[in-house]
Amino acid sequence: MQETLVVRRETHVSAPPAAVFALLTDPEKILRWMGTEVEPKPGGLYLVNVTGARFARGSFREVVPVHRLAYSFGWDGSDVVPPGSSLVEIDLVEEADGTLVRLTHSGLPDAEQCAGHAEGWAHYLDRLSAAAAGRDPGPDPWHGRTG
């Protein structure tokens, strides 16, 4: 796999790892910043209605409470990035004033998909950061977006 076909994002969140982990794994809390339906256990379902118009689907491969998540990822109805065809890894690193969220998304098929997913992750990590810090990220301006 070429290094250019990997999305890497890091963001600081003003909340402890346990609070960030809850926002990534609790279906009710995910609604505050991204979407719905997860079963955060190895082999469990990852299904998120991301914009109200697109469903991301995969399965959890690794769940280490408050430290790490890894799940397969893809889009329902997509031939380019089908469900489960890529891998998202999220590491939560405790810092003195919060948590470093380190996200790696690998297995994307081309540079266009990497760029699109990099934009999407930047958008949703900003919303995660706001929710974790106790702020309301507000309605998702991407609601209804299909691409």
Side-chain angles (χ1 to χ4, degrees):
M1 181 183 329
Q2 298 174 5
E3 185 65 22
T4 57
L5 298 181
V6 175
V7 174
R8 295 185 197 283
R9 288 281 180 259
E10 288 189 358
T11 192
H12 175 79
V13 174
S14 297
V20 178
F21 190 82
L23 283 164
L24 291 166
T25 59
D26 182 319
E28 290 182 23
K29 291 181 179 174
I30 290 172
L31 286 172
R32 292 181 55 204
W33 66 278
M34 186 185 226
T36 61
E37 288 191 55
V38 294
E39 296 172 0
K41 60 185 179 191
L45 176 68
Y46 176 85
L47 176 64
V48 177
N49 185 348
V50 177
T51 63
R54 294 186 78 193
F55 284 87
R57 181 185 302 268
S59 62
F60 284 92
R61 295 188 178 172
E62 189 176 355
V63 179
V64 181
V66 310
H67 297 292
R68 180 174 168 77
L69 291 172
Y71 52 89
S72 62
F73 180 96
W75 298 102
D76 277 356
S78 173
D79 292 331
V80 180
V81 183
S85 65
S86 63
L87 179 65
V88 175
E89 298 169 277
I90 302 172
D91 292 297
L92 305 176
V93 180
E94 187 170 6
E95 297 182 323
D97 58 348
T99 303
L100 174 67
V101 177
R102 185 175 291 137
L103 178 139
T104 304
H105 190 164
S106 59
L108 293 164
D110 57 41
E112 179 183 356
Q113 288 299 317
C114 281
H117 284 84
E119 177 186 19
W121 283 119
H123 173 76
Y124 284 107
L125 287 175
D126 283 349
R127 292 179 58 78
L128 170 68
S129 183
R135 297 187 313 273
D136 180 358
D140 187 353
W142 286 14
H143 184 79
R145 186 174 170 173
T146 59

PDB file of all heavy atoms in Angstrom, residues 1-9 75 80-81 86-87 103-122:
ATOM      1  N   MET A   1       0.839  -1.176   0.000  1.00  0.00           N
ATOM      2  CA  MET A   1       0.000   0.000   0.000  1.00  0.00           C
ATOM      3  C   MET A   1       0.885   1.240   0.000  1.00  0.00           C
ATOM      4  O   MET A   1       1.842   1.323   0.743  1.00  0.00           O
ATOM      5  CB  MET A   1      -0.891  -0.020   1.244  1.00  0.00           C
ATOM      6  CG  MET A   1      -1.808   1.153   1.315  1.00  0.00           C
ATOM      7  SD  MET A   1      -2.809   1.211   2.818  1.00  0.00           S
ATOM      8  CE  MET A   1      -3.035  -0.479   3.213  1.00  0.00           C
ATOM      9  N   GLN A   2       0.518   2.204  -0.806  1.00  0.00           N
ATOM     10  CA  GLN A   2       1.289   3.432  -0.870  1.00  0.00           C
ATOM     11  C   GLN A   2       0.954   4.316   0.322  1.00  0.00           C
ATOM     12  O   GLN A   2      -0.195   4.440   0.724  1.00  0.00           O
ATOM     13  CB  GLN A   2       0.958   4.198  -2.148  1.00  0.00           C
ATOM     14  CG  GLN A   2       1.290   3.453  -3.411  1.00  0.00           C
ATOM     15  CD  GLN A   2       0.796   4.228  -4.623  1.00  0.00           C
ATOM     16  OE1 GLN A   2       0.292   5.334  -4.528  1.00  0.00           O
ATOM     17  NE2 GLN A   2       0.951   3.627  -5.784  1.00  0.00           N
ATOM     18  N   GLU A   3       1.959   4.959   0.875  1.00  0.00           N
ATOM     19  CA  GLU A   3       1.751   5.855   2.015  1.00  0.00           C
ATOM     20  C   GLU A   3       0.794   6.988   1.666  1.00  0.00           C
ATOM     21  O   GLU A   3       0.052   7.459   2.516  1.00  0.00           O
ATOM     22  CB  GLU A   3       3.097   6.406   2.487  1.00  0.00           C
ATOM     23  CG  GLU A   3       3.010   7.249   3.732  1.00  0.00           C
ATOM     24  CD  GLU A   3       2.577   6.486   4.973  1.00  0.00           C
ATOM     25  OE1 GLU A   3       2.727   5.255   4.998  1.00  0.00           O
ATOM     26  OE2 GLU A   3       2.080   7.119   5.915  1.00  0.00           O
ATOM     27  N   THR A   4       0.769   7.425   0.412  1.00  0.00           N
ATOM     28  CA  THR A   4      -0.114   8.522   0.020  1.00  0.00           C
ATOM     29  C   THR A   4      -1.586   8.122   0.084  1.00  0.00           C
ATOM     30  O   THR A   4      -2.444   8.981   0.038  1.00  0.00           O
ATOM     31  CB  THR A   4       0.214   9.015  -1.401  1.00  0.00           C
ATOM     32  OG1 THR A   4       0.098   7.912  -2.301  1.00  0.00           O
ATOM     33  CG2 THR A   4       1.595   9.622  -1.475  1.00  0.00           C
ATOM     34  N   LEU A   5      -1.890   6.843   0.178  1.00  0.00           N
ATOM     35  CA  LEU A   5      -3.271   6.391   0.224  1.00  0.00           C
ATOM     36  C   LEU A   5      -3.731   6.118   1.657  1.00  0.00           C
ATOM     37  O   LEU A   5      -4.592   5.294   1.899  1.00  0.00           O
ATOM     38  CB  LEU A   5      -3.463   5.156  -0.659  1.00  0.00           C
ATOM     39  CG  LEU A   5      -3.191   5.388  -2.144  1.00  0.00           C
ATOM     40  CD1 LEU A   5      -3.432   4.120  -2.945  1.00  0.00           C
ATOM     41  CD2 LEU A   5      -4.048   6.522  -2.684  1.00  0.00           C
ATOM     42  N   VAL A   6      -3.144   6.829   2.587  1.00  0.00           N
ATOM     43  CA  VAL A   6      -3.520   6.725   3.998  1.00  0.00           C
ATOM     44  C   VAL A   6      -3.886   8.114   4.487  1.00  0.00           C
ATOM     45  O   VAL A   6      -3.169   9.077   4.253  1.00  0.00           O
ATOM     46  CB  VAL A   6      -2.354   6.151   4.844  1.00  0.00           C
ATOM     47  CG1 VAL A   6      -2.701   6.165   6.323  1.00  0.00           C
ATOM     48  CG2 VAL A   6      -2.003   4.738   4.385  1.00  0.00           C
ATOM     49  N   VAL A   7      -5.014   8.214   5.155  1.00  0.00           N
ATOM     50  CA  VAL A   7      -5.426   9.468   5.776  1.00  0.00           C
ATOM     51  C   VAL A   7      -4.970   9.428   7.224  1.00  0.00           C
ATOM     52  O   VAL A   7      -5.250   8.468   7.937  1.00  0.00           O
ATOM     53  CB  VAL A   7      -6.965   9.649   5.712  1.00  0.00           C
ATOM     54  CG1 VAL A   7      -7.390  10.885   6.483  1.00  0.00           C
ATOM     55  CG2 VAL A   7      -7.443   9.708   4.272  1.00  0.00           C
ATOM     56  N   ARG A   8      -4.252  10.450   7.651  1.00  0.00           N
ATOM     57  CA  ARG A   8      -3.829  10.567   9.046  1.00  0.00           C
ATOM     58  C   ARG A   8      -4.309  11.914   9.573  1.00  0.00           C
ATOM     59  O   ARG A   8      -4.108  12.933   8.933  1.00  0.00           O
ATOM     60  CB  ARG A   8      -2.314  10.485   9.170  1.00  0.00           C
ATOM     61  CG  ARG A   8      -1.744   9.157   8.767  1.00  0.00           C
ATOM     62  CD  ARG A   8      -0.233   9.101   9.028  1.00  0.00           C
ATOM     63  NE  ARG A   8       0.392   8.023   8.310  1.00  0.00           N
ATOM     64  CZ  ARG A   8       0.337   6.747   8.666  1.00  0.00           C
ATOM     65  NH1 ARG A   8      -0.317   6.405   9.735  1.00  0.00           N
ATOM     66  NH2 ARG A   8       0.931   5.816   7.946  1.00  0.00           N
ATOM     67  N   ARG A   9      -4.912  11.885  10.731  1.00  0.00           N
ATOM     68  CA  ARG A   9      -5.387  13.106  11.374  1.00  0.00           C
ATOM     69  C   ARG A   9      -5.096  12.996  12.862  1.00  0.00           C
ATOM     70  O   ARG A   9      -5.276  11.938  13.463  1.00  0.00           O
ATOM     71  CB  ARG A   9      -6.897  13.292  11.200  1.00  0.00           C
ATOM     72  CG  ARG A   9      -7.310  13.662   9.811  1.00  0.00           C
ATOM     73  CD  ARG A   9      -7.061  15.154   9.576  1.00  0.00           C
ATOM     74  NE  ARG A   9      -7.448  15.561   8.258  1.00  0.00           N
ATOM     75  CZ  ARG A   9      -6.596  15.755   7.256  1.00  0.00           C
ATOM     76  NH1 ARG A   9      -5.323  15.562   7.411  1.00  0.00           N
ATOM     77  NH2 ARG A   9      -7.032  16.156   6.084  1.00  0.00           N
ATOM     78  N   TRP A  75     -18.881   2.375   2.387  1.00  0.00           N
ATOM     79  CA  TRP A  75     -20.172   3.029   2.187  1.00  0.00           C
ATOM     80  C   TRP A  75     -21.174   2.076   1.553  1.00  0.00           C
ATOM     81  O   TRP A  75     -20.864   1.443   0.536  1.00  0.00           O
ATOM     82  CB  TRP A  75     -20.005   4.255   1.292  1.00  0.00           C
ATOM     83  CG  TRP A  75     -19.121   5.286   1.883  1.00  0.00           C
ATOM     84  CD1 TRP A  75     -17.815   5.531   1.565  1.00  0.00           C
ATOM     85  CD2 TRP A  75     -19.454   6.203   2.934  1.00  0.00           C
ATOM     86  NE1 TRP A  75     -17.325   6.542   2.343  1.00  0.00           N
ATOM     87  CE2 TRP A  75     -18.300   6.976   3.196  1.00  0.00           C
ATOM     88  CE3 TRP A  75     -20.602   6.440   3.670  1.00  0.00           C
ATOM     89  CZ2 TRP A  75     -18.285   7.976   4.165  1.00  0.00           C
ATOM     90  CZ3 TRP A  75     -20.587   7.433   4.635  1.00  0.00           C
ATOM     91  CH2 TRP A  75     -19.443   8.191   4.872  1.00  0.00           C
ATOM     92  N   VAL A  80     -16.819   1.896  -5.151  1.00  0.00           N
ATOM     93  CA  VAL A  80     -15.471   2.443  -5.009  1.00  0.00           C
ATOM     94  C   VAL A  80     -14.916   2.150  -3.614  1.00  0.00           C
ATOM     95  O   VAL A  80     -13.779   1.709  -3.473  1.00  0.00           O
ATOM     96  CB  VAL A  80     -15.470   3.963  -5.293  1.00  0.00           C
ATOM     97  CG1 VAL A  80     -14.072   4.537  -5.150  1.00  0.00           C
ATOM     98  CG2 VAL A  80     -16.009   4.243  -6.689  1.00  0.00           C
ATOM     99  N   VAL A  81     -15.702   2.412  -2.571  1.00  0.00           N
ATOM    100  CA  VAL A  81     -15.309   2.109  -1.184  1.00  0.00           C
ATOM    101  C   VAL A  81     -16.481   1.343  -0.554  1.00  0.00           C
ATOM    102  O   VAL A  81     -17.262   1.889   0.220  1.00  0.00           O
ATOM    103  CB  VAL A  81     -14.993   3.395  -0.379  1.00  0.00           C
ATOM    104  CG1 VAL A  81     -14.510   3.039   1.024  1.00  0.00           C
ATOM    105  CG2 VAL A  81     -13.951   4.246  -1.085  1.00  0.00           C
ATOM    106  N   SER A  86     -12.097  -0.704   3.869  1.00  0.00           N
ATOM    107  CA  SER A  86     -10.958   0.057   4.376  1.00  0.00           C
ATOM    108  C   SER A  86     -10.905  -0.108   5.895  1.00  0.00           C
ATOM    109  O   SER A  86     -11.771  -0.748   6.491  1.00  0.00           O
ATOM    110  CB  SER A  86     -11.058   1.531   3.964  1.00  0.00           C
ATOM    111  OG  SER A  86     -12.197   2.139   4.534  1.00  0.00           O
ATOM    112  N   LEU A  87      -9.899   0.450   6.504  1.00  0.00           N
ATOM    113  CA  LEU A  87      -9.692   0.275   7.944  1.00  0.00           C
ATOM    114  C   LEU A  87      -9.496   1.632   8.616  1.00  0.00           C
ATOM    115  O   LEU A  87      -8.657   2.428   8.178  1.00  0.00           O
ATOM    116  CB  LEU A  87      -8.465  -0.601   8.204  1.00  0.00           C
ATOM    117  CG  LEU A  87      -8.095  -0.850   9.671  1.00  0.00           C
ATOM    118  CD1 LEU A  87      -9.185  -1.656  10.383  1.00  0.00           C
ATOM    119  CD2 LEU A  87      -6.752  -1.561   9.758  1.00  0.00           C
ATOM    120  N   LEU A 103      -6.068   9.430  14.388  1.00  0.00           N
ATOM    121  CA  LEU A 103      -6.861   8.625  13.477  1.00  0.00           C
ATOM    122  C   LEU A 103      -6.044   8.273  12.239  1.00  0.00           C
ATOM    123  O   LEU A 103      -5.363   9.136  11.675  1.00  0.00           O
ATOM    124  CB  LEU A 103      -8.108   9.415  13.059  1.00  0.00           C
ATOM    125  CG  LEU A 103      -9.025   8.712  12.069  1.00  0.00           C
ATOM    126  CD1 LEU A 103     -10.478   8.936  12.453  1.00  0.00           C
ATOM    127  CD2 LEU A 103      -8.792   9.173  10.640  1.00  0.00           C
ATOM    128  N   THR A 104      -6.122   7.019  11.844  1.00  0.00           N
ATOM    129  CA  THR A 104      -5.505   6.543  10.604  1.00  0.00           C
ATOM    130  C   THR A 104      -6.577   5.800   9.820  1.00  0.00           C
ATOM    131  O   THR A 104      -7.232   4.909  10.356  1.00  0.00           O
ATOM    132  CB  THR A 104      -4.322   5.595  10.898  1.00  0.00           C
ATOM    133  OG1 THR A 104      -3.382   6.261  11.738  1.00  0.00           O
ATOM    134  CG2 THR A 104      -3.635   5.159   9.609  1.00  0.00           C
ATOM    135  N   HIS A 105      -6.768   6.190   8.565  1.00  0.00           N
ATOM    136  CA  HIS A 105      -7.733   5.522   7.689  1.00  0.00           C
ATOM    137  C   HIS A 105      -6.954   4.991   6.491  1.00  0.00           C
ATOM    138  O   HIS A 105      -6.446   5.757   5.674  1.00  0.00           O
ATOM    139  CB  HIS A 105      -8.811   6.517   7.247  1.00  0.00           C
ATOM    140  CG  HIS A 105      -9.968   5.874   6.553  1.00  0.00           C
ATOM    141  ND1 HIS A 105     -11.161   6.530   6.381  1.00  0.00           N
ATOM    142  CD2 HIS A 105     -10.136   4.648   6.002  1.00  0.00           C
ATOM    143  CE1 HIS A 105     -12.013   5.735   5.741  1.00  0.00           C
ATOM    144  NE2 HIS A 105     -11.393   4.590   5.492  1.00  0.00           N
ATOM    145  N   SER A 106      -6.839   3.673   6.404  1.00  0.00           N
ATOM    146  CA  SER A 106      -6.042   3.045   5.339  1.00  0.00           C
ATOM    147  C   SER A 106      -6.930   2.158   4.469  1.00  0.00           C
ATOM    148  O   SER A 106      -8.066   1.866   4.815  1.00  0.00           O
ATOM    149  CB  SER A 106      -4.907   2.218   5.952  1.00  0.00           C
ATOM    150  OG  SER A 106      -5.426   1.219   6.807  1.00  0.00           O
ATOM    151  N   GLY A 107      -6.369   1.761   3.335  1.00  0.00           N
ATOM    152  CA  GLY A 107      -7.074   0.868   2.429  1.00  0.00           C
ATOM    153  C   GLY A 107      -7.986   1.565   1.442  1.00  0.00           C
ATOM    154  O   GLY A 107      -8.773   0.912   0.756  1.00  0.00           O
ATOM    155  N   LEU A 108      -7.887   2.887   1.354  1.00  0.00           N
ATOM    156  CA  LEU A 108      -8.689   3.617   0.374  1.00  0.00           C
ATOM    157  C   LEU A 108      -8.083   3.414  -1.017  1.00  0.00           C
ATOM    158  O   LEU A 108      -6.867   3.292  -1.162  1.00  0.00           O
ATOM    159  CB  LEU A 108      -8.768   5.096   0.752  1.00  0.00           C
ATOM    160  CG  LEU A 108      -9.547   5.335   2.050  1.00  0.00           C
ATOM    161  CD1 LEU A 108      -9.282   6.740   2.590  1.00  0.00           C
ATOM    162  CD2 LEU A 108     -11.033   5.103   1.831  1.00  0.00           C
ATOM    163  N   PRO A 109      -8.910   3.378  -2.070  1.00  0.00           N
ATOM    164  CA  PRO A 109      -8.431   2.931  -3.369  1.00  0.00           C
ATOM    165  C   PRO A 109      -7.633   3.939  -4.190  1.00  0.00           C
ATOM    166  O   PRO A 109      -6.884   3.536  -5.079  1.00  0.00           O
ATOM    167  CB  PRO A 109      -9.720   2.563  -4.110  1.00  0.00           C
ATOM    168  CG  PRO A 109     -10.748   3.459  -3.513  1.00  0.00           C
ATOM    169  CD  PRO A 109     -10.359   3.577  -2.063  1.00  0.00           C
ATOM    170  N   ASP A 110      -7.795   5.239  -3.938  1.00  0.00           N
ATOM    171  CA  ASP A 110      -7.094   6.204  -4.791  1.00  0.00           C
ATOM    172  C   ASP A 110      -6.972   7.550  -4.074  1.00  0.00           C
ATOM    173  O   ASP A 110      -7.555   7.766  -3.006  1.00  0.00           O
ATOM    174  CB  ASP A 110      -7.794   6.364  -6.146  1.00  0.00           C
ATOM    175  CG  ASP A 110      -9.256   6.774  -6.040  1.00  0.00           C
ATOM    176  OD1 ASP A 110      -9.590   7.643  -5.198  1.00  0.00           O
ATOM    177  OD2 ASP A 110     -10.079   6.221  -6.791  1.00  0.00           O
ATOM    178  N   ALA A 111      -6.208   8.446  -4.689  1.00  0.00           N
ATOM    179  CA  ALA A 111      -5.947   9.758  -4.085  1.00  0.00           C
ATOM    180  C   ALA A 111      -7.222  10.581  -3.930  1.00  0.00           C
ATOM    181  O   ALA A 111      -7.377  11.314  -2.950  1.00  0.00           O
ATOM    182  CB  ALA A 111      -4.914  10.521  -4.923  1.00  0.00           C
ATOM    183  N   GLU A 112      -8.147  10.467  -4.851  1.00  0.00           N
ATOM    184  CA  GLU A 112      -9.409  11.212  -4.756  1.00  0.00           C
ATOM    185  C   GLU A 112     -10.190  10.782  -3.513  1.00  0.00           C
ATOM    186  O   GLU A 112     -10.723  11.623  -2.776  1.00  0.00           O
ATOM    187  CB  GLU A 112     -10.247  10.990  -6.016  1.00  0.00           C
ATOM    188  CG  GLU A 112     -11.579  11.705  -5.975  1.00  0.00           C
ATOM    189  CD  GLU A 112     -12.438  11.429  -7.207  1.00  0.00           C
ATOM    190  OE1 GLU A 112     -11.988  10.742  -8.141  1.00  0.00           O
ATOM    191  OE2 GLU A 112     -13.572  11.920  -7.213  1.00  0.00           O
ATOM    192  N   GLN A 113     -10.252   9.484  -3.274  1.00  0.00           N
ATOM    193  CA  GLN A 113     -10.950   8.996  -2.087  1.00  0.00           C
ATOM    194  C   GLN A 113     -10.219   9.405  -0.805  1.00  0.00           C
ATOM    195  O   GLN A 113     -10.853   9.745   0.198  1.00  0.00           O
ATOM    196  CB  GLN A 113     -11.128   7.475  -2.146  1.00  0.00           C
ATOM    197  CG  GLN A 113     -12.155   7.036  -3.156  1.00  0.00           C
ATOM    198  CD  GLN A 113     -13.535   7.582  -2.834  1.00  0.00           C
ATOM    199  OE1 GLN A 113     -13.963   7.581  -1.688  1.00  0.00           O
ATOM    200  NE2 GLN A 113     -14.241   8.060  -3.851  1.00  0.00           N
ATOM    201  N   CYS A 114      -8.899   9.395  -0.831  1.00  0.00           N
ATOM    202  CA  CYS A 114      -8.130   9.849   0.338  1.00  0.00           C
ATOM    203  C   CYS A 114      -8.436  11.312   0.640  1.00  0.00           C
ATOM    204  O   CYS A 114      -8.670  11.673   1.796  1.00  0.00           O
ATOM    205  CB  CYS A 114      -6.632   9.663   0.115  1.00  0.00           C
ATOM    206  SG  CYS A 114      -6.084   7.969   0.373  1.00  0.00           S
ATOM    207  N   ALA A 115      -8.458  12.129  -0.392  1.00  0.00           N
ATOM    208  CA  ALA A 115      -8.730  13.553  -0.185  1.00  0.00           C
ATOM    209  C   ALA A 115     -10.140  13.763   0.360  1.00  0.00           C
ATOM    210  O   ALA A 115     -10.351  14.550   1.298  1.00  0.00           O
ATOM    211  CB  ALA A 115      -8.546  14.321  -1.494  1.00  0.00           C
ATOM    212  N   GLY A 116     -11.113  13.066  -0.177  1.00  0.00           N
ATOM    213  CA  GLY A 116     -12.486  13.206   0.285  1.00  0.00           C
ATOM    214  C   GLY A 116     -12.665  12.736   1.720  1.00  0.00           C
ATOM    215  O   GLY A 116     -13.339  13.382   2.524  1.00  0.00           O
ATOM    216  N   HIS A 117     -12.029  11.613   2.043  1.00  0.00           N
ATOM    217  CA  HIS A 117     -12.136  11.100   3.407  1.00  0.00           C
ATOM    218  C   HIS A 117     -11.340  11.965   4.386  1.00  0.00           C
ATOM    219  O   HIS A 117     -11.761  12.144   5.530  1.00  0.00           O
ATOM    220  CB  HIS A 117     -11.719   9.629   3.463  1.00  0.00           C
ATOM    221  CG  HIS A 117     -12.773   8.717   2.917  1.00  0.00           C
ATOM    222  ND1 HIS A 117     -12.888   8.470   1.574  1.00  0.00           N
ATOM    223  CD2 HIS A 117     -13.765   8.030   3.532  1.00  0.00           C
ATOM    224  CE1 HIS A 117     -13.914   7.652   1.380  1.00  0.00           C
ATOM    225  NE2 HIS A 117     -14.474   7.370   2.557  1.00  0.00           N
ATOM    226  N   ALA A 118     -10.228  12.524   3.947  1.00  0.00           N
ATOM    227  CA  ALA A 118      -9.466  13.442   4.809  1.00  0.00           C
ATOM    228  C   ALA A 118     -10.328  14.655   5.160  1.00  0.00           C
ATOM    229  O   ALA A 118     -10.363  15.096   6.318  1.00  0.00           O
ATOM    230  CB  ALA A 118      -8.171  13.883   4.123  1.00  0.00           C
ATOM    231  N   GLU A 119     -11.046  15.192   4.179  1.00  0.00           N
ATOM    232  CA  GLU A 119     -11.941  16.321   4.429  1.00  0.00           C
ATOM    233  C   GLU A 119     -13.049  15.918   5.401  1.00  0.00           C
ATOM    234  O   GLU A 119     -13.380  16.646   6.344  1.00  0.00           O
ATOM    235  CB  GLU A 119     -12.546  16.803   3.107  1.00  0.00           C
ATOM    236  CG  GLU A 119     -13.533  17.935   3.286  1.00  0.00           C
ATOM    237  CD  GLU A 119     -14.240  18.320   1.988  1.00  0.00           C
ATOM    238  OE1 GLU A 119     -14.263  17.525   1.022  1.00  0.00           O
ATOM    239  OE2 GLU A 119     -14.812  19.430   1.963  1.00  0.00           O
ATOM    240  N   GLY A 120     -13.617  14.743   5.181  1.00  0.00           N
ATOM    241  CA  GLY A 120     -14.682  14.272   6.060  1.00  0.00           C
ATOM    242  C   GLY A 120     -14.209  14.061   7.486  1.00  0.00           C
ATOM    243  O   GLY A 120     -14.868  14.483   8.444  1.00  0.00           O
ATOM    244  N   TRP A 121     -13.049  13.429   7.647  1.00  0.00           N
ATOM    245  CA  TRP A 121     -12.537  13.203   9.001  1.00  0.00           C
ATOM    246  C   TRP A 121     -12.203  14.522   9.691  1.00  0.00           C
ATOM    247  O   TRP A 121     -12.457  14.678  10.887  1.00  0.00           O
ATOM    248  CB  TRP A 121     -11.344  12.262   8.990  1.00  0.00           C
ATOM    249  CG  TRP A 121     -11.744  10.825   8.803  1.00  0.00           C
ATOM    250  CD1 TRP A 121     -11.381   9.992   7.775  1.00  0.00           C
ATOM    251  CD2 TRP A 121     -12.592  10.050   9.658  1.00  0.00           C
ATOM    252  NE1 TRP A 121     -11.963   8.762   7.943  1.00  0.00           N
ATOM    253  CE2 TRP A 121     -12.710   8.770   9.096  1.00  0.00           C
ATOM    254  CE3 TRP A 121     -13.274  10.322  10.839  1.00  0.00           C
ATOM    255  CZ2 TRP A 121     -13.474   7.754   9.683  1.00  0.00           C
ATOM    256  CZ3 TRP A 121     -14.038   9.325  11.424  1.00  0.00           C
ATOM    257  CH2 TRP A 121     -14.121   8.051  10.841  1.00  0.00           C
ATOM    258  N   ALA A 122     -11.655  15.482   8.970  1.00  0.00           N
ATOM    259  CA  ALA A 122     -11.365  16.786   9.577  1.00  0.00           C
ATOM    260  C   ALA A 122     -12.660  17.426  10.085  1.00  0.00           C
ATOM    261  O   ALA A 122     -12.726  17.931  11.213  1.00  0.00           O
ATOM    262  CB  ALA A 122     -10.656  17.697   8.576  1.00  0.00           C
TER     263      ALA A 122
END
